[in-house]
Amino acid sequence: MKRATLFIDRPIATSLLMAACFVAGLFALRQLPVSALPTVESPIIEVSTELVGASPEVIASSITNPLERRFGEIPGLASLRSVSSFGASHLTLEFALGRNIDSAAQDVQAAISASAGQLPKSLPNAPVYAKVNPADAPILMLAITSGTVPPWRLGELAEGFVTQKISQVEGVGLVSIGGGQKRALRIAVDARALAARGLTLDDVAARIRRSNVNAPKGSIEGAHQAFTLAADDQLLTVEAYRDLVLAVTGDTVIRLGDVAEI
């Protein structure tokens, strides 16, 4: 009560104090920093496609351009940016602020499915998309290590199990993996040895594709029984690739191990 009485007994001083606070507030308001680029949660979706070994020109003509034509038909698309690099295509789709990101993602998936017939047949995986907010920063970073499990196995566990479980948590927008190792078999072809035997790099690639196919073999049906033929033609070891026959000229058998380091 004593504090209130102090202001009640001095109305003129109280009015002057309030006026001073008001003027100071106006002056401070003009000094407040205003961001030229405020943080806005724009509905943005990124689409990535990989085709190992393809040049940027091939990526642009065979992957980026067909996808751009399909994505351009999506309603509410504000801008479309694309980057075609060596072995990969990245497209960024930015939608209008009023567009729902979930419905936009469904339209993007439909456009990817519609463009499947125009994409290369040798594409190992279909294009993948992810919802992205450029204003967001990672809020959690996890490192996975092991003294017994090899690095490539850790990568498979992280990609096939850990990321799926984290993505299912409510409120999680994007989970990405960085680093790690992946199992791979590399074939370094000796161009001189290949030319000396009258073969080309396309011949080697075609022979590897034909000899490394996991496809159904059909079935045998009889009067009372039916059998399904199951055979895996995939090459899973380095030795199997070395013994792969590329061509036979007379009595000479040319194997992949003769012209390449595996």
Side-chain angles (χ1 to χ4, degrees):
M1 293 298 295
K2 291 183 179 180
R3 295 180 181 178
T5 303
L6 181 65
F7 289 100
I8 293 173
D9 293 342
R10 297 171 176 80
I12 297 177
T14 302
S15 300
L16 293 175
L17 179 60
M18 295 299 297
C21 292
F22 179 74
V23 174
L26 290 178
F27 179 77
L29 181 63
R30 299 183 60 183
Q31 302 301 319
L32 290 176
V34 178
S35 176
L37 297 174
T39 300
V40 179
E41 295 185 0
S42 302
I44 296 178
I45 294 178
E46 288 188 354
V47 181
S48 302
T49 312
E50 293 185 357
L51 183 59
V52 178
S55 65
E57 292 79 9
V58 173
I59 292 291
S61 61
S62 62
I63 297 178
T64 304
N65 291 341
L67 290 176
E68 283 182 342
R69 288 192 292 268
R70 289 293 182 179
F71 292 153
E73 302 173 357
I74 299 177
L77 183 63
S79 66
L80 174 59
R81 300 183 299 274
S82 63
V83 176
S84 299
S85 58
F86 189 82
S89 170
H90 299 279
L91 294 96
T92 303
L93 293 78
E94 182 175 356
F95 295 88
L97 293 178
R99 183 68 193 275
N100 182 271
I101 186 66
D102 294 327
S103 63
Q106 294 178 0
D107 292 341
V108 169
Q109 179 61 58
I112 292 175
S113 300
S115 62
Q118 303 175 358
L119 299 178
K121 301 298 182 182
S122 58
L123 200 64
N125 298 302
V128 295
Y129 68 92
K131 306 172 188 176
V132 178
N133 182 10
D136 286 343
I139 61 174
L140 178 65
M141 301 185 70
L142 301 176
I144 302 177
T145 60
S146 175
T148 57
V149 180
W152 61 265
R153 180 56 180 163
L154 282 180
E156 291 181 352
L157 292 174
E159 185 174 356
F161 180 76
V162 179
T163 56
Q164 294 182 6
K165 293 299 182 181
I166 297 178
S167 300
Q168 295 171 4
V169 177
E170 184 177 357
V172 175
L174 177 65
V175 180
S176 58
I177 300 179
Q181 295 181 358
K182 288 188 176 181
R183 264 195 314 183
L185 186 140
R186 303 184 184 278
I187 302 174
V189 180
D190 187 343
R192 294 182 179 179
L194 199 64
R197 292 165 173 80
L199 298 174
T200 64
L201 193 60
D202 291 336
D203 296 334
V204 176
R207 186 70 180 97
I208 292 175
R209 282 195 295 267
R210 290 196 304 268
S211 302
N212 196 22
V213 177
N214 186 14
K217 303 301 184 293
S219 60
I220 300 176
E221 298 183 0
H224 304 287
Q225 290 181 324
F227 297 92
T228 300
L229 301 179
D232 189 356
D233 295 337
Q234 289 183 303
L235 306 178
L236 303 178
T237 63
V238 173
E239 290 74 16
Y241 277 92
R242 287 200 184 107
D243 295 337
L244 181 62
V245 177
L246 297 179
V248 178
T249 57
D251 296 334
T252 305
V253 178
I254 303 174
R255 304 182 184 273
L256 184 60
D258 300 331
V259 296
E261 180 182 356
I262 307 169

